[in-house]
Amino acid sequence: MLMKISTTYNWLIALVLIASFTISCSDREMEPNPKPIDDDEDDIENPNIAINEWIQAVMDEVYLWTDTMNDPISVDAAPENYFDALLVNQDRFSVIYGNYEELVNLLEGVQKEAGYEIQLFQASNSNDVFGIITYVKQGGPADQAGLKRNDRFYEINGVQMTLSNYTSLLQSRGEPHTLDIRRLNEDSGQFEMLAEDPVSLSTTELVENPIFLDSVYTIDNTKIGYLVYNFFAPGEELESDNIRYGVYDQQLEDIFADFKSKGVQELILDLRYNGGGYTSSAVHLASLVGQGISEGDLFYYTKYNDLVQAYFQQEYGPEYFNIRFVNKTQNIGDQLGSGKVYILTSNNTASSSELIINGLSPYMEVILIGETTYGKNVGSITIQDTENEENDYGLLPIISQSFNKNDNSDYTNGFDPDIESDEFSNNGILLPIGDTNEVMLSAAIAQITGTPAAERSRKAPINMTSVQSSIKNHVRFGRMIESTPEFK
């Protein structure tokens, strides 16, 4: 049974009450800079002090690298600076966010935005930068304005993007803005202005469904299931027959039930834009895909710092660290004729997506098509301060490392593809997601059917140098967010 997601790590409170496993700040010889001496008794204490003391206590308890954590800076420093100063060099992922509730919403796909993702490139022989829209989110302002995948733009709010200003200009996308949209004219082969005036885009609090597309193709008498899944989130919690589940997880089950009823024989998972998310949904997806798995088979296990490891060992025993597959009648693994799952990847593929790759590998052949993944084998939790009403901060520290059934966790440099493919290799032209001629999907279909894909360049054109992907700007990127038990 999947554990219920807890957005506040209640075991932090319980942890400090377990005397035999708790080490106080003084016992750890942690000596933060003292509070500044205030000669005026009427002065109010700097609120940063209480927040930073909370940050220190949390990190001392749960941070994966607590034994090598950096020394604290001044206790009255800005909390963002205090937190960042503690992080070890190898930590690319721990995050502090100004508002806990906003942090949780962002992780679950709720964000104020116009509703489109982009990849930026440097123009040939120039410092100019241009963007290509990679996908548009259903029902958002960009969708309503008619924007499409493959549209290009050079200006935001009338200002040309360059290598020196694109970072600040991208921040404008969180508010109403304009884009000089240019669309491919298939007759001329040129990108032309969509309209004389720039396209105006509003922003709204958009609730993004991680399931972007699902389809079944029949090619050369082979039925191929295709799922585009852009982040891991269970969705709004529902309850039926005393069983709690997320609406997005339920939609996944419905999709795989459809795959099963239609006799899907091969499966393509498109995770090229999936930067991670909740591990509970990763278990859910893996349990629908794995071949020859049974309920209780090991999907992955976790390791923590000595303090947390000892606490969980005492409270729950060694089984706590093992995350197992769950029974899903919609599982299609045993009807995949080749015994393989084909996964489309890019450098945006991270965290819980890599957990899927690593965890399924002992049970079936995982064929990666695309680019080397990002490389993240460590997990986080969301933490808020429930004692201090003036502390709105949310923490997302790294607390664990994951290993598969074969004890493998060696992918900090990412997983290399079995078949290299770059969605921009067709002269930078992006066909619609789900089009069987789209570069990466067609490469997967070619592997399944043995029919070569159409001749295409395997390298990006020389006039395009990748600069940045908007996927990496999301707070949820690179996150593997653990499910946690409830404490009574």
Side-chain angles (χ1 to χ4, degrees):
M1 179 181 294
L2 289 177
M3 294 175 290
K4 180 186 175 188
I5 291 176
S6 172
T7 54
T8 305
Y9 229 37
N10 295 324
W11 55 261
L12 279 172
I13 300 172
L15 188 62
V16 299
L17 299 177
I18 307 298
S20 61
F21 290 99
T22 300
I23 304 173
S24 69
C25 290
S26 59
D27 291 337
R28 295 176 67 87
E29 298 181 353
M30 189 279 293
E31 298 180 356
N33 293 336
K35 301 176 184 178
I37 298 174
D38 191 349
D39 294 331
D40 189 345
E41 295 181 355
D42 294 331
D43 283 355
I44 299 175
E45 184 180 75
N46 186 330
N48 289 346
I49 294 175
I51 296 172
N52 290 336
E53 288 177 341
W54 168 73
I55 291 172
Q56 187 73 56
V58 168
M59 297 294 279
D60 278 342
E61 298 290 353
V62 304
Y63 191 44
L64 180 61
W65 299 287
T66 188
D67 290 339
T68 57
M69 189 165 56
N70 292 328
D71 293 333
I73 60 175
S74 174
V75 75
D76 60 0
E80 292 85 353
N81 296 337
Y82 190 92
F83 179 82
D84 289 343
L86 296 175
L87 306 182
V88 297
N89 290 337
Q90 68 263 39
D91 186 358
R92 299 177 287 163
F93 308 106
S94 292
V95 169
I96 183 171
Y97 200 80
N99 184 283
Y100 173 80
E101 298 299 334
E102 289 182 9
L103 170 62
V104 171
N105 283 338
L106 291 170
L107 294 174
E108 294 178 351
V110 181
Q111 179 174 331
K112 183 182 178 183
E113 59 173 318
Y116 63 99
E117 300 294 348
I118 59 174
Q119 177 71 49
L120 297 185
F121 293 91
Q122 180 182 357
S124 177
N125 301 317
S126 171
N127 287 327
D128 288 347
V129 170
F130 67 95
I132 299 179
I133 294 178
T134 52
Y135 73 90
V136 176
K137 301 173 186 181
Q138 184 175 5
D143 186 24
Q144 296 169 3
L147 268 59
K148 297 180 179 180
R149 173 174 162 89
N150 196 45
D151 285 347
R152 298 187 180 188
F153 62 95
Y154 287 74
E155 299 176 357
I156 299 178
N157 291 332
V159 179
Q160 167 68 53
M161 290 189 295
T162 66
L163 292 176
S164 60
N165 71 8
Y166 76 85
T167 300
S168 60
L169 285 176
L170 287 182
Q171 296 175 356
S172 304
R173 298 197 312 137
E175 301 294 336
H177 58 280
T178 63
L179 300 177
D180 61 324
I181 293 295
R182 307 173 190 211
R183 183 165 294 167
L184 179 67
N185 183 322
E186 295 184 1
D187 293 331
S188 66
Q190 302 296 316
F191 282 87
E192 301 172 357
M193 286 290 293
L194 182 62
E196 184 175 340
D197 296 322
V199 175
S200 296
L201 296 172
S202 61
T203 56
T204 187
E205 189 175 81
L206 186 64
V207 181
E208 181 181 359
N209 189 325
I211 303 169
F212 185 82
L213 177 70
D214 65 276
S215 188
V216 175
Y217 309 103
T218 301
I219 301 175
D220 292 348
N221 295 320
T222 301
K223 289 191 175 182
I224 303 170
Y226 177 57
L227 173 67
V228 184
Y229 190 59
N230 288 342
F231 59 97
F232 291 85
E236 180 183 0
E237 188 177 83
L238 304 175
E239 185 170 344
S240 177
D241 297 328
N242 296 320
I243 298 175
R244 291 173 177 167
Y245 59 94
V247 63
Y248 299 145
D249 285 346
Q250 181 60 54
Q251 289 175 15
L252 276 182
E253 292 191 12
D254 294 342
I255 288 169
F256 277 82
D258 183 61
F259 285 170
K260 191 169 186 176
S261 68
K262 290 179 177 176
V264 161
Q265 300 160 285
E266 301 292 347
L267 178 65
I268 302 170
L269 293 180
D270 193 337
L271 303 181
R272 75 179 88 175
Y273 303 125
N274 193 317
Y278 288 95
T279 58
S280 62
S281 292
V283 176
H284 206 85
L285 178 60
S287 298
L288 293 165
V289 173
Q291 185 171 61
I293 61 170
S294 300
E295 183 173 21
D297 286 342
L298 185 65
F299 177 36
Y300 73 98
Y301 68 90
T302 51
K303 289 184 179 180
Y304 302 86
N305 69 36
D306 291 344
L307 180 62
V308 175
Q309 192 86 8
Y311 169 75
F312 282 145
Q313 178 75 30
Q314 174 182 291
E315 289 295 297
Y316 301 103
E319 181 57 28
Y320 174 83
F321 308 101
N322 298 325
I323 310 302
R324 301 185 181 279
F325 294 102
V326 293
N327 181 43
K328 294 296 176 186
T329 58
Q330 304 89 345
N331 174 282
I332 66 168
D334 290 339
Q335 64 186 61
L336 301 180
S338 65
K340 303 174 182 178
V341 59
Y342 299 83
I343 300 181
L344 306 188
T345 65
S346 73
N347 188 247
N348 294 317
T349 305
S351 193
S352 290
S353 290
E354 293 169 307
L355 189 68
I356 291 285
I357 296 168
N358 198 46
L360 287 179
S361 293
Y363 297 94
M364 60 196 305
E365 191 172 357
V366 179
I367 305 297
L368 304 184
I369 298 172
E371 301 171 295
T372 301
T373 63
Y374 190 72
K376 181 175 182 284
N377 61 352
V378 287
S380 307
I381 51 170
T382 55
I383 301 175
Q384 70 175 146
D385 187 349
T386 58
E387 303 297 319
N388 181 1
E389 294 182 356
E390 296 182 359
N391 181 6
D392 292 330
Y393 281 92
L395 302 183
L396 197 64
I398 295 299
I399 68 157
S400 65
Q401 183 175 347
S402 66
F403 300 77
N404 71 6
K405 176 184 177 182
N406 295 336
D407 304 317
N408 181 38
S409 185
D410 186 20
Y411 55 93
T412 55
N413 293 322
F415 289 102
D416 292 328
D418 298 287
I419 297 97
E420 292 186 0
S421 183
D422 178 356
E423 69 175 332
F424 296 98
S425 64
N426 186 22
N427 294 316
I429 306 299
L430 300 180
L431 293 180
I433 294 175
D435 187 320
T436 56
N437 291 314
E438 188 271 323
V439 171
M440 294 180 70
L441 177 56
S442 67
I445 292 173
Q447 289 299 311
I448 292 170
T449 63
T451 302
E455 286 288 331
R456 294 187 179 93
S457 169
R458 286 293 180 185
K459 296 181 179 180
I462 58 174
N463 64 336
M464 293 174 61
T465 301
S466 180
V467 173
Q468 183 175 329
S469 165
S470 63
I471 300 296
K472 291 187 173 67
N473 290 334
H474 288 292
V475 171
R476 66 175 180 254
F477 177 77
R479 310 298 167 210
M480 188 162 63
I481 308 159
E482 292 191 12
S483 306
T484 65
E486 291 292 328
F487 284 80
K488 302 299 183 183

